[in-house]
Amino acid sequence: MDKYLQIIASSSLFHGIAKTELAAVLKHLDAQMKVYPRNGFIWRLGERVTTAGFVVAGSVHILREDYWGRQNILAQLGCGHLFGEVYACLQQVPLTVSVAAPNGATVIFLDLKRLLSGPSRSEAESRLLHNLLLLMAERNFFLTQKMEYLTKRTTREKLLAYLSEQARLQQSNKLVIPFNRQQLADFLAVDRSAMSGELSKMQADGLIRYQKNKFELL
């Protein structure tokens, strides 16, 4: 776990916590590390979990699956990101999503319940709890933003809304998105073939230029 201390220390979750305090905080949270292969599942829909996951290598997809196994990507999270924090705190609520590692991932599991119990906390643990609340607020904001994409009526409107937001976040009209074509279609809840056709039309109409996951808004 020592090789990932720099990633841990520079993350939003552990912001403001000195490196000298990290070992004690991780021990208090009973940190356990696990490596997942490419396309491996970390959690499945319906499971009950007692810990949150913190990504230190690779990335994970938060997936919503229907009865027939069709998937919708709710989020992609890379190094330094936390997932499952709500379920880790509630514990009795079964997962309404699945979590997978499309390209493999190394995850440290943290028992966040330990932050909520006990008569007193160290200064580092209080900072961690503060950071956790901010992250949960940011996650709620992200889901609200995604709802804006999904409520658009057409595939073109969904694509324009998503690409516009990415341009704003990356502060450039030239941007790189974290999805391939199938993943982008799953994220926006549209048919891949229809989406690919719409991208070609948008390029012909002079709205965008693109190659793979690189886009330029015109």
Side-chain angles (χ1 to χ4, degrees):
M1 194 175 297
D2 290 346
K3 64 185 280 191
Y4 299 114
L5 283 180
Q6 183 56 45
I7 293 173
I8 296 170
S10 60
S11 69
S12 297
L13 180 62
F14 293 92
H15 176 71
I17 300 175
K19 284 187 178 181
T20 54
E21 298 176 293
L22 279 179
V25 171
L26 291 173
K27 182 178 180 180
H28 178 69
L29 298 180
D30 192 27
Q32 304 290 329
M33 188 171 68
K34 189 170 182 180
V35 179
Y36 292 88
R38 183 182 179 88
N39 294 323
F41 271 82
I42 298 169
W43 292 331
R44 292 277 190 175
L45 175 73
E47 289 184 34
R48 284 182 168 82
V49 300
T50 59
T51 57
F54 182 84
V55 185
V56 292
S59 62
V60 302
H61 283 179
I62 311 300
L63 306 171
R64 177 65 59 83
E65 298 175 286
D66 65 15
Y67 182 83
W68 295 273
R70 294 176 297 191
Q71 296 178 342
N72 179 20
I73 300 175
L74 299 181
Q76 173 173 283
L77 304 175
C79 285
H81 283 84
L82 186 72
F83 63 90
E85 64 278 5
V86 172
Y87 298 99
C89 291
L90 296 177
Q91 293 194 355
Q92 298 304 314
V93 177
L95 289 170
T96 59
V97 297
S98 294
V99 183
N103 299 306
T106 301
V107 177
I108 294 175
F109 292 97
L110 306 171
D111 184 359
L112 298 182
K113 270 286 192 179
R114 297 189 175 200
L115 286 177
L116 308 177
S117 60
S120 62
R121 302 184 189 91
S122 68
E123 184 177 340
E125 290 164 6
S126 295
R127 167 59 63 177
L128 182 63
L129 183 58
H130 171 79
N131 293 342
L132 177 62
L133 290 173
L134 288 178
L135 286 175
M136 293 174 78
E138 290 173 1
R139 190 67 52 82
N140 185 64
F141 178 76
F142 168 80
L143 292 174
T144 301
Q145 287 294 106
K146 184 174 181 182
M147 286 300 298
E148 290 190 22
Y149 312 146
L150 298 183
T151 54
K152 300 297 183 183
R153 291 181 177 274
T154 68
T155 298
R156 175 174 291 207
E157 288 176 342
K158 291 181 179 183
L159 286 165
L160 288 173
Y162 173 72
L163 294 173
S164 294
E165 179 64 11
Q166 289 300 305
R168 185 188 69 80
L169 292 173
Q170 298 182 36
Q171 299 183 337
S172 173
N173 69 315
K174 295 181 179 180
L175 52 106
V176 179
I177 67 172
F179 301 124
N180 60 32
R181 288 290 178 272
Q182 184 60 60
Q183 291 167 348
L184 179 58
D186 291 342
F187 181 76
L188 296 176
V190 297
D191 178 76
R192 176 182 174 177
S193 297
M195 186 194 73
S196 295
E198 194 57 53
L199 285 171
S200 296
K201 292 176 183 177
M202 289 166 63
Q203 184 162 255
D205 290 343
L207 294 172
I208 61 172
R209 278 198 291 263
Y210 67 92
Q211 182 177 21
K212 295 185 177 179
N213 67 332
K214 297 179 180 179
F215 288 80
E216 181 181 1
L217 308 190
L218 306 176

